[in-house]
Amino acid sequence: MIDDPSAQRWYRQAVIYCVDVDSYDDGNGDGSGDFRGLRLRLPHLARLGITCLWLNPIHPTPHRDAGYDVSDYYAVDPRLGTLGDFVEFVHEAADHGIRIVIDLVVNHTSDQHPWFVAAKADPQSPYRDFYVWSEDEPADRFQGLVFPGEQKETWSWCEEAAAWYYHRFYEFQPDLNWRNPEVRAEILRVIGFWLQLGVSGFRVDAAPFVIELVEPGPAADENDFEILSQWRRYLQWHQGDGVLLGEANVSPQDVPTYFGSSPDSADRMHMLFDFVLNPRLFLALARRSAEPLAEALTDAVRVPRGGQWVTFLRNHDELDLSRLTESQRSEVFAAFAPEEDMRLYGRGIRRRLAPMLGNDRRRIELAYALQFSLPGTPALRYGEEIGMGDDLALKGRDAFRTPMQWEDRPGAGFSRADPEKLVKPLVDDDEYGYAAVNVARQRADRDSLLTWMQRLINVRRECPENGDGTLTLVDGEGVPPEVLVHRVDGLDGSLVFLHNLSDESQVADLTKAAALDDADDVQELFADGAGSPLGDRLGKVHLPGYGYRWIRLMR
């Protein structure tokens, strides 16, 4: 019997897959991916071992910011299909054991949203107070830019309204006024609407900015987190197993407040992306040393009961290195984005993982083995399972949002439409183009990256300790600085993981490791295949360059 009921919650054992619906599969031949196409690809995802699909914005939008400029919260973008198509997709996903989480983008709306159109047209409109206005030019007009180089100000003048309006992001994305109780009530209705259509939760976009209550009024404080607490109460009341996954790229000392109102209970966000660990992992890969990762794990924020980290390597945004020092950031840039056009906003990398790692299969495997070995819920970006590349000729983040590559034929199995009608161009170079990198080719190859990823995910799902366990670093004189050794103890067992971040073979002598005193009956679960067989207990473990070994301690 499991003592901690939170360990039974589905999100703790999930494997998340992040999808741009319009870039995944075009079911009607118009050049844009849609729910019909995504529904037809559910068997691929189920076979891969995915249990949760996170959909990037699906609502109607003017398409000025990849759908993050929403013009209607109660509909889906016509390019993606109808609400009926969406419901059919959700139901069929459930038949495959896959839950659906959608983006909740409510820090701001599109300036074409009917709310803003009404607000700027009439100062007496009930929607006027849905947004943040100032009759005088704000003193902080040029402060707090989220997109330096692309964004000029955070307050813009609206001629029609004869007032300034606040926008933390682009000028076409006016911020909602969260001091207004009517705004809070309306967004609760939005949450309830999508729960009724079958979603299992929401990825909360830009969570820190939602609770950033703008002047006039008192400065934001602990009470402003009541917005998140209210969402949590509403969600649990309407769907007991619904989840909130927060995008909160904040300092470690601020993280606990997003999880909950007390250190012992996650009564706000169920899950948070681990934005502190992510750049440290890439710093470790750049240095070929385990030290940066070990430090991050040692200093990690304690997750309250019921809370969960979500680990990731790449997602729908640039790789954000802003939490590294300037010198550390320079190291990662030099290793993985040496050219200026590979970088974004001076703080991030706009590339997919495979080209960042030089398409080195050993290093790609090591990176994902590392991610999936860490406690938390792993998230995978679409196309990463086959090692897709990017197109740096495209603007900004579009470089790594190109269509999924299914087959070696015109349209890459993504669409039957003429190439000029595709939502984004296909990658078509010799190394990463759809002729060389596609699902069909790798599905037929027992040694492909896709086959390996499927094996990794399935082994990870056999390790419930990673979903609910406690991590302990294993160090000492016998562990080289290039090797990360950690164990995870869960309710039903214990695991030991070894990962060699260098390109040279290493030996980890675990004979005298105090953290492994009970390792006298071991079983290897997953390895690179080049190491020597294990004995009855852990002793000297050999790891080739970029090698890894996952070991279960038998009880």
Side-chain angles (χ1 to χ4, degrees), residues 229-525:
S229 299
Q230 187 181 39
W231 289 357
R232 173 64 175 265
R233 291 192 299 268
Y234 185 89
L235 178 74
Q236 304 292 192
W237 179 260
H238 287 77
Q239 184 167 312
D241 63 352
V243 299
L244 293 173
L245 167 55
E247 181 198 30
N249 191 353
V250 297
S251 61
Q253 58 265 31
D254 292 332
V255 164
T257 318
Y258 286 85
F259 271 123
S261 56
S262 76
D264 300 319
S265 178
D267 57 6
R268 287 174 182 150
M269 296 291 175
H270 298 80
M271 300 188 286
L272 291 174
F273 290 104
D274 199 338
F275 285 106
V276 175
L277 183 66
N278 178 255
R280 301 289 295 188
L281 197 156
F282 278 94
L283 180 61
L285 290 172
R287 290 180 175 176
R288 293 176 168 82
S289 167
E291 183 181 2
L293 192 53
E295 289 179 351
L297 293 170
T298 300
D299 298 335
V301 174
R302 186 180 72 84
V303 177
R305 183 175 180 270
Q308 184 83 327
W309 287 121
V310 171
T311 64
F312 63 100
L313 293 176
R314 294 296 295 111
N315 60 15
H316 66 300
D317 286 335
E318 70 276 6
L319 172 61
D320 189 349
L321 305 176
S322 60
R323 301 217 164 270
L324 299 180
T325 66
E326 185 175 349
S327 62
Q328 291 170 341
R329 192 157 50 246
S330 296
E331 289 183 69
V332 179
F333 277 149
F336 303 130
E339 300 176 17
E340 191 63 36
D341 71 342
M342 298 174 177
R343 307 173 189 177
L344 200 59
Y345 310 129
R347 64 173 186 241
I349 297 176
R350 64 184 200 107
R351 308 183 74 191
R352 279 188 176 266
L353 184 72
M356 284 175 63
L357 299 182
N359 209 17
D360 185 334
R361 173 69 179 275
R362 299 175 306 155
R363 215 172 181 193
I364 293 170
E365 286 188 12
L366 170 72
Y368 277 110
L370 254 177
Q371 180 206 350
F372 276 66
S373 75
L374 299 174
T377 298
L380 179 70
R381 176 71 168 160
Y382 82 90
E384 295 296 303
E385 72 267 36
I386 57 173
M388 277 179 57
D390 42 49
D391 184 352
L392 296 175
L394 299 178
K395 182 181 178 181
R397 296 163 171 171
D398 284 349
F400 49 84
R401 294 174 175 176
T402 56
M404 182 68 176
Q405 298 169 190
W406 296 101
E407 302 174 18
D408 177 13
R409 64 172 183 174
F414 163 72
S415 177
R416 304 183 302 276
D418 293 335
E420 63 271 15
K421 293 183 178 180
L422 297 186
V423 63
K424 296 181 188 71
L426 290 161
V427 175
D428 196 18
D429 60 34
D430 291 339
E431 186 171 10
Y432 298 104
Y434 62 87
V437 179
N438 62 72
V439 172
R441 180 174 183 175
Q442 294 195 22
R443 182 67 72 195
D445 181 1
R446 62 190 301 178
D447 296 320
S448 69
L449 179 61
L450 176 61
T451 303
W452 180 87
M453 286 292 297
Q454 181 176 326
R455 191 162 62 249
L456 168 71
I457 292 171
N458 287 333
V459 172
R460 170 61 177 77
R461 291 179 63 183
E462 294 173 5
C463 300
E465 295 91 340
N466 283 57
D468 58 39
T470 301
L471 180 143
T472 303
L473 289 174
V474 179
D475 52 19
E477 295 182 1
V479 179
E482 297 85 358
V483 177
L484 181 75
V485 184
H486 67 282
R487 69 177 288 169
V488 177
D489 295 287
L491 297 171
D492 298 316
S494 300
L495 300 160
V496 177
F497 303 94
L498 298 93
H499 294 87
N500 178 12
L501 282 82
S502 77
D503 57 354
E504 298 181 355
S505 61
Q506 304 290 338
V507 177
D509 187 353
L510 307 180
T511 307
K512 298 180 180 180
L516 296 175
D517 286 342
D518 58 344
D520 55 0
D521 190 2
V522 298
Q523 176 189 14
E524 188 160 80
L525 296 179

Side-chain angles (χ1 to χ4, degrees), residues 171-238:
E171 74 279 357
F172 54 82
Q173 294 169 323
D175 273 33
L176 287 169
N177 177 17
W178 284 94
R179 293 193 186 279
N180 184 350
E182 292 301 318
V183 170
R184 300 191 184 198
E186 187 64 36
I187 298 307
L188 289 180
R189 285 190 281 271
V190 170
I191 291 173
F193 177 82
W194 291 101
L195 290 175
Q196 287 293 318
L197 294 185
V199 306
S200 292
F202 304 88
R203 175 260 184 187
V204 180
D205 180 62
F209 300 126
V210 171
I211 62 170
E212 173 195 59
L213 305 188
V214 185
E215 294 287 351
D221 58 25
E222 169 68 20
N223 293 329
D224 299 332
F225 283 87
E226 175 60 22
I227 295 170
L228 305 183
S229 299
Q230 187 181 39
W231 289 357
R232 173 64 175 265
R233 291 192 299 268
Y234 185 89
L235 178 74
Q236 304 292 192
W237 179 260
H238 287 77

Side-chain angles (χ1 to χ4, degrees), residues 19 21 24-29 32-47 53 80 85-86 88-93 96 98 404 406-407 409 413-416 439 443:
V19 172
V21 179
Y24 204 62
D25 189 277
D26 174 14
N28 62 7
S32 173
D34 46 44
F35 292 117
R36 179 183 176 187
L38 182 55
R39 179 171 59 85
L40 296 174
R41 297 300 184 178
L42 287 170
H44 164 75
L45 298 171
R47 184 175 181 180
L53 269 180
L80 308 182
D85 293 330
F86 176 78
E88 185 178 15
F89 154 70
V90 171
H91 283 220
E92 190 158 333
H96 287 278
I98 298 174
M404 182 68 176
W406 296 101
E407 302 174 18
R409 64 172 183 174
F414 163 72
S415 177
R416 304 183 302 276
V439 172
R443 182 67 72 195

